[in-house]
């Protein structure tokens, strides 16, 4: 009987701890492998300006980079609502969005994201280590459902570019 209670208690504590970690914005062991890793600002090879609007859009919503490239995203919220840009896999973004809908005042800061009040500018520096698609979205409640999403298309470097 005590063993059953102990296992049940452990299961509840594990669930609570993982939910708290998500709510705190801690995605340890998750996205870094799939989408790249935090970049070093001094190694950024270029800057991409991204505008977030109350029309629930990013401009641009599609960005092309090369595998291995470190990009500085300068993100501006030109709207009157709070917006954010979060890099992740589509699955991660959907899961995080569900948590955000339940906890709209949740504040968190991870290197793969920037949350901005109206009229503010911030940045994300990211290194794209694997080819493929890296999604980004605004996870403020209602914004993702309204289509506030985009993608970074990560191309394998060509032979010519790897020699430079």
């Amino acid at each position: 009987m005590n063993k059953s209670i102990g296992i049940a208690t452990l299961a509840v504590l594990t669930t609570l701890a993982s939910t708290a970690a998500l709510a705190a914005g801690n995605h340890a062991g998750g996205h870094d492998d799939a989408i790249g890793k935090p970049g070093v600002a001094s190694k950024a090879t270029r800057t991409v300006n991204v505008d977030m609007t109350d029309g629930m859009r990013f401009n641009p919503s599609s960005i092309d980079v090369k595998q291995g490239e470190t990009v500085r995203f300068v993100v501006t919220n030109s709207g009157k609502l709070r917006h954010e840009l979060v890099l992740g896999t589509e699955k991660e973004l959907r899961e995080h969005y569900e948590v955000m809908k339940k906890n709209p005042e949740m504040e968190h800061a991870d290197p793969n994201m920037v949350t901005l009040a109206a009229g503010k500018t911030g940045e994300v520096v990211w290194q794209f280590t694997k080819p493929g698609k890296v999604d980004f979205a605004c996870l403020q409640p209602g914004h993702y459902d309204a289509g506030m999403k985009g993608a970074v298309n990560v191309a394998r470097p060509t032979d010519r570019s790897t020699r430079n």
Side-chain angles (χ1 to χ4, degrees), residues 106-156:
M106 177 173 61
E107 291 194 23
H108 48 275
D110 285 333
N112 66 311
M113 65 174 294
V114 62
T115 303
L116 299 168
K120 300 295 182 185
T121 298
E123 68 178 45
V124 172
V125 179
W126 200 258
Q127 183 180 16
F128 295 91
T129 58
K130 294 186 177 182
K133 181 177 89 157
V134 174
D135 293 292
F136 59 90
C138 179
L139 303 181
Q140 293 295 308
H143 298 200
Y144 184 84
D145 291 334
M148 196 166 182
K149 351 179 165 171
V152 178
N153 304 301
V154 185
R156 293 185 189 278

Side-chain angles (χ1 to χ4, degrees), residues 3-78:
K3 185 175 183 181
S4 300
I5 292 171
I7 292 172
T9 301
L10 181 60
V12 168
L13 290 174
T14 302
T15 301
L16 288 173
S18 64
T19 302
L22 254 182
N26 180 359
H27 305 282
H31 57 235
D32 286 1
D33 289 341
I35 67 166
K37 63 184 182 180
V40 176
S42 63
K43 294 186 178 181
T45 55
R46 69 179 163 130
T47 298
V48 174
N49 294 305
V50 179
D51 185 40
M52 300 184 295
T53 72
D54 290 347
M56 302 302 151
R57 295 295 181 260
F58 290 99
N59 185 20
S61 61
S62 180
I63 300 163
D64 294 322
V65 303
K66 289 191 169 90
Q67 181 181 358
E69 188 173 7
T70 299
V71 176
R72 175 190 323 269
F73 295 95
V74 175
V75 185
T76 301
N77 180 353
S78 64

